[in-house]
Amino acid sequence: MLIVPEREIANLMTRTAAFDAVEQVFAAMAAGDAYNFPVVREAIGHEDALYGFKGGFDQAGLTLGLKAGGYWPNNLEKRGLINHQSTVFLFDPDTGKPTAMVGGNLLTALRTAAASSVSIKHLARPDAKVIGMIGAGHQSTFQLRAALEQRNFEKVIGWNYHPDMLPNLEKVAAEAGLPFEAVALDQMGHDADVIISITSAFAPSLMDAHVSSGTHIACMGTDTKGKQELDPALLARAKVFTDEVAQSISIGEAQHAIAAGLIAQSDVRQLGAVINGTDPGRTTADDITIFDGTGVGLQDLAVAASVVELAVAQGVAIDVDF
Ligand code: NAD
């Protein structure tokens, strides 16, 4: 069995490798070649931790396994460790034997950024120039860096519930040589061609009235029942795509528009079908497109399999007799 420790991931994994792995697995899911297992997520009654498993099998890529981990809210203060902790385990689909154990913390940020980036590639207008960011926390900088590679963006605008965090976004814009402006949400909706929302909010920030036609919105923060970032009326006006429909309507952003009776399950389409060319995706420059990125286990397995290959090629995978 191979071990790729968390400390090696930053040197090994590239945004391109993460993008390719996630694009391929979304396509495989839509083609019926890959499926996610039901998610387990438990409050364990110890350290206020949430712990669980996300797994799946990709028959096209022959990737089988799970990500185990969760959220330990006291880690940083008590132990100087990051609060999100996860590890990916891969298995040989022919024998069931474990093949790899891979640090999953950085990979989670990279695969989440790759997902919104894949949505921008396939759904945003080709002439998109202004990118808007809602959220300026841990994930947001990964999101912005990956998104900037998808179009010839000329400006970054941002809004955050805690404005003191906006310099996190400004720094990434500066790295890319782009101007940054902090804006109100109505200006964001008016000016941005692409918006990424990545907050832990439980109430909508971006309202239907804010958003101009032609915008692509990657809604990435809502991954749990009750969380919410967008006005449900916006989903009714938009073409809605997702990684996995079952998750989108239960724990993703679409849960609210479905509950309000504004859209039906059949209105939520798989991004993978657009990648495969079986769904036309955006059909006019005026369409508003939304990607409801809920985060699926197969994304984790895909990037973990990719990083194992890179680790073997670069001689840093630890081989243990298991
Ligand atoms: P973080 O704690 O670092 O940042 C949280 C962000 O949300 C900050 O910008 C904060 O200002 C903002 N925020 C907090 N309360 C808010 C409110 N009431 N209204 C509006 N904004 C508010 O978290 P993070 O690691 O950046 O994660 C952000 C979200 O993304 C979380 O909900 C997390 O669960 C989710 N996430 C989703 C995926 C996925 O695959 N879709 C993957 C990883 C994380």
Side-chain angles (χ1 to χ4, degrees):
M1 184 174 83
L2 299 171
I3 297 175
V4 185
E6 185 67 43
R7 65 171 184 272
E8 299 290 354
I9 306 291
N11 297 328
L12 290 169
M13 197 59 183
T14 63
R15 279 195 293 281
T16 307
F19 183 98
D20 291 346
V22 169
E23 188 180 45
Q24 273 167 28
V25 85
F26 282 172
M29 282 163 59
D33 290 333
Y35 72 108
N36 292 287
F37 305 155
V39 175
V40 173
R41 199 163 162 88
E42 295 285 320
I44 60 172
H46 179 75
E47 289 288 353
D48 298 324
L50 286 175
Y51 176 70
F53 315 106
K54 280 187 167 184
F57 179 43
D58 176 1
Q59 195 139 19
L62 287 181
T63 314
L64 173 69
L66 60 92
K67 177 167 86 168
Y71 188 68
W72 275 259
N74 307 321
N75 269 5
L76 192 60
E77 232 168 78
K78 275 197 189 171
R79 302 183 174 88
L81 295 171
I82 64 170
N83 292 348
H84 287 277
Q85 291 291 333
S86 63
T87 308
V88 181
F89 298 89
L90 299 175
F91 297 83
D92 180 347
D94 295 335
T95 63
K97 278 181 71 70
T99 54
M101 176 171 136
V102 184
N105 295 348
L106 178 58
L107 282 183
T108 299
L110 292 172
R111 65 78 147 147
T112 307
S116 64
S117 194
V118 169
S119 85
I120 293 168
K121 173 180 167 186
H122 291 281
L123 294 172
R125 292 196 330 269
D127 61 351
K129 293 280 180 264
V130 178
I131 182 160
M133 294 295 302
I134 299 176
H138 179 69
Q139 302 290 334
S140 69
T141 55
F142 293 92
Q143 292 282 322
L144 180 55
R145 273 193 200 99
L148 289 177
E149 289 167 351
Q150 293 309 315
R151 291 290 185 272
N152 290 319
F153 289 111
E154 293 174 354
K155 185 175 180 183
V156 181
I157 57 179
W159 177 89
N160 195 43
Y161 186 73
H162 303 102
D164 54 308
M165 295 166 80
L166 284 170
N168 293 339
L169 300 174
E170 189 167 11
K171 214 170 118 200
V172 177
E175 274 169 27
L178 295 178
F180 175 82
E181 189 186 349
V183 297
L185 283 165
D186 55 349
Q187 192 188 335
M188 158 103 51
H190 181 267
D191 292 359
D193 304 304
V194 170
I195 297 174
I196 297 177
S197 184
I198 182 93
T199 72
S200 50
F202 281 79
S205 303
L206 192 66
M207 305 309 286
D208 186 36
H210 293 150
V211 179
S212 307
S213 51
T215 309
H216 172 63
I217 303 164
C219 182
M220 304 304 295
T222 303
D223 58 357
T224 305
K225 204 166 169 45
K227 282 189 187 172
Q228 186 173 13
E229 302 189 283
L230 307 180
D231 182 353
L234 191 49
L235 280 87
R237 183 154 69 108
K239 290 184 170 167
V240 182
F241 299 86
T242 188
D243 39 24
E244 188 177 275
V245 175
Q247 286 198 180
S248 170
I249 63 170
S250 56
I251 58 168
E253 194 62 38
Q255 63 180 292
H256 305 288
I258 294 263
L262 293 173
I263 63 168
Q265 177 170 338
S266 55
D267 294 320
V268 183
R269 294 140 65 171
Q270 279 185 293
L271 177 59
V274 182
I275 299 168
N276 288 335
T278 55
D279 184 313
R282 166 183 294 279
T283 50
T284 75
D286 285 342
D287 283 347
I288 293 177
T289 50
I290 293 176
F291 173 60
D292 184 7
T294 62
V296 293
L298 282 168
Q299 274 172 269
D300 297 299
L301 306 188
V303 290
S306 175
V307 89
V308 169
E309 269 180 34
L310 292 164
V312 170
Q314 295 182 30
V316 296
I318 301 164
D319 200 347
V320 292
D321 191 13
F322 183 80

